[in-house]
């Protein structure tokens, strides 16, 4: 059973990723880091604890990350994810608490408890992982695999013209993480897999696909659309579907306001699926570095795929779906997601 450690900044799509990990029966979720990003670290921690409780899961340690990035003030994204990070969803206060040790220590503990076996997943800024690497530089050698949602490769940004949110929030942390994996590339069993916007923006969730999830969970619901009143609350007959629909409506409305349509990019659940099964995708070895000084480009991920810098690859950039598959990647992903999460949510109702 693969041991997975999830580092999240929950966040609407992080929540969808967490529910997916919980739904995968073959996964042993050994810990969660709550990293500041979409909302404050405290709020992320609250969301993670509350979601676990709502899903009837106990015994997964949730740890609080630093309230600030490594060297700049925190920027949050309430416009995208709602005032508390979960859109219009309001979760009951959790009865459980965060661990006494912090998120960086949680990374280190999990890696040492499962040497050579741990799959790390990061769907938020890289602050907690960078702090863990400062405290334990040998960490990369202990991991079986690392999958990061972050960056944008030969593709536009979503926070500035060239930057992706998770990297933009803490560019120094991202630079430290990529550098650390560069130093250990020859010992790592796999290069860290990086899912940037170039791939995750192809994972487009529509209200119709969300309605398919509700059906798979045995719930009756209304298929959302741009003509609905803003903030209309879900009346789905399944409580977890209600939470996910209330969260997702905010995310749909955000993308709609941005002129992208009444849809949402499911960056983080996709990265979670890649973490469990890298054969879903094709990736190219690259040396990734982060621009820290550019006046217009600070936070940009630059990937050298042709050896210009003469440095060893420190990552593999996800570029497309599995080789020799003709089905669109998003279709493959959503079928897989609904197959896993639908029955799980049905059991909770
Ligand atoms: C990333 O930014 C966050 O807002 C999302 O949760 C995702 O991890 C996409 O750029
Ligand atoms: Ca996220």
């Amino acid at each position: 059973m693969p041991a997975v450690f999830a580092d999240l900044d929950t966040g609407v799509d992080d929540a969808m990723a967490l529910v997916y990990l919980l739904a995968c029966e073959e996964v042993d979720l050994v810990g969660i880091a709550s990293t500041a990003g979409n909302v404050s670290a405290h709020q992320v921690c609250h969301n993670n604890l509350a979601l676990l409780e709502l899903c009837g899961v106990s015994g997964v340690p949730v740890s609080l990350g630093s309230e600030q990035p490594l060297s700049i003030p925190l920027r949050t994204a309430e416009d995208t994810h709602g005032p508390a990070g979960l859109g219009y969803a309001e979760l009951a206060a959790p009865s459980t608490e965060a661990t006494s040790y912090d998120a960086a220590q949680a990374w280190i503990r999990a890696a040492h408890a499962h040497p050579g076996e741990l799959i790390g997943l990061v769907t938020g800024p890289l602050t907690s992982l960078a702090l863990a690497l400062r405290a334990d530089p040998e960490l990369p050698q202990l991991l079986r695999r690392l999958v990061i949602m972050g960056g944008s490769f030969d593709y536009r940004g979503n926070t500035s013209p060239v930057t992706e949110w998770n990297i933009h929030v803490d560019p120094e942390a991202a630079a430290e993480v990529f550098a650390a994996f560069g130093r250990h590339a020859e010992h790592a069993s796999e290069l860290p897999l990086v899912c940037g916007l170039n791939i995750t923006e192809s994972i487009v969730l529509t209200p119709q696909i969300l309605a398919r999830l509700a059906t798979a969970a045995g719930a009756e619901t209304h298929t959302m659309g741009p003509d609905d009143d803003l903030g209309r609350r879900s009346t789905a007959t399944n409580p977890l579907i209600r939470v996910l629909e209330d969260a997702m409506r905010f995310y749909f409305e955000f993308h709609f306001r941005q002129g992208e349509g009444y849809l949402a990019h499911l960056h983080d659940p996709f990265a979670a699926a890649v973490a469990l099964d890298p054969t879903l995708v094709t990736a190219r070895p690259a040396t990734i570095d982060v621009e820290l000084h550019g006046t217009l480009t600070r936070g940009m991920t630059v990937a050298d795929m042709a050896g210009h810098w003469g440095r060893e690859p420190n990552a593999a950039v996800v570029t497309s779906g599995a080789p020799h598959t003709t089905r669109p990647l998003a279709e493959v992903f959503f079928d897989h997601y609904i197959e896993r999460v639908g029955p799980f949510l049905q059991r909770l109702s």
Side-chain angles (χ1 to χ4, degrees), residues 315-340:
V317 173
V318 175
T319 52
S320 58
H324 316 302
T325 329
T326 45
R327 287 180 68 209
L329 181 58
E331 198 179 296
V332 173
F333 166 74
F334 282 117
D335 283 356
H336 170 78
Y337 187 93
I338 291 169
E339 221 167 80
R340 295 300 177 94

Side-chain angles (χ1 to χ4, degrees), residues 41-157:
H42 263 93
Q43 188 62 54
V44 169
C45 202
H46 178 284
N47 293 347
N48 289 333
L49 290 167
L51 281 164
L52 286 178
E53 213 162 310
L54 205 63
C55 290
V57 174
S58 56
V60 178
V62 175
S63 306
L64 178 65
S66 161
E67 281 301 347
Q68 296 297 328
L70 296 189
S71 48
I72 51 172
L74 177 66
R75 172 177 171 181
T76 51
E78 285 82 1
D79 60 332
T80 313
H81 293 270
L86 294 176
Y88 293 114
E90 286 163 294
L91 269 52
S95 62
T96 47
E97 283 181 10
T99 58
S100 55
Y101 50 90
D102 70 10
Q105 280 302 319
W107 265 107
I108 295 168
R109 283 177 181 233
H112 283 271
H114 304 274
E117 288 176 7
L118 190 70
I119 298 174
L121 167 71
V122 186
T123 66
L126 287 146
T127 318
S128 302
L129 180 53
L131 289 170
L133 287 162
R134 283 182 183 183
D136 186 352
E138 305 306 316
L139 202 59
Q141 294 174 70
L142 287 171
L143 297 181
R144 168 174 158 199
R145 178 182 307 141
L146 176 67
V147 174
I148 295 170
M149 190 285 127
S152 189
F153 302 94
D154 295 327
Y155 192 78
R156 63 172 181 256

Side-chain angles (χ1 to χ4, degrees), residues 12-13 80-81 247-255 264-265 267:
V12 175
D13 59 331
T80 313
H81 293 270
M248 201 48 69
R249 182 182 289 283
F250 196 97
Y251 214 36
F252 283 148
E253 289 174 359
F254 165 77
H255 286 79
H265 300 131
H267 314 276

Side-chain angles (χ1 to χ4, degrees), residues 195-247:
C195 303
L197 296 178
N198 50 294
I199 196 77
T200 62
E201 285 204 353
S202 71
I203 310 299
V204 174
L205 178 74
T206 61
Q208 289 69 29
I209 298 173
L210 192 58
R212 271 177 55 206
L213 177 65
T215 305
E220 281 168 35
T221 193
H222 150 89
T223 303
M224 299 180 207
D227 297 331
D228 291 348
D229 290 340
L230 287 178
R232 172 176 163 168
R233 298 305 154 92
S234 170
T235 53
T237 50
N238 176 303
L240 246 301
I241 290 286
R242 279 202 296 281
V243 165
L244 295 182
E245 286 189 346
D246 285 345

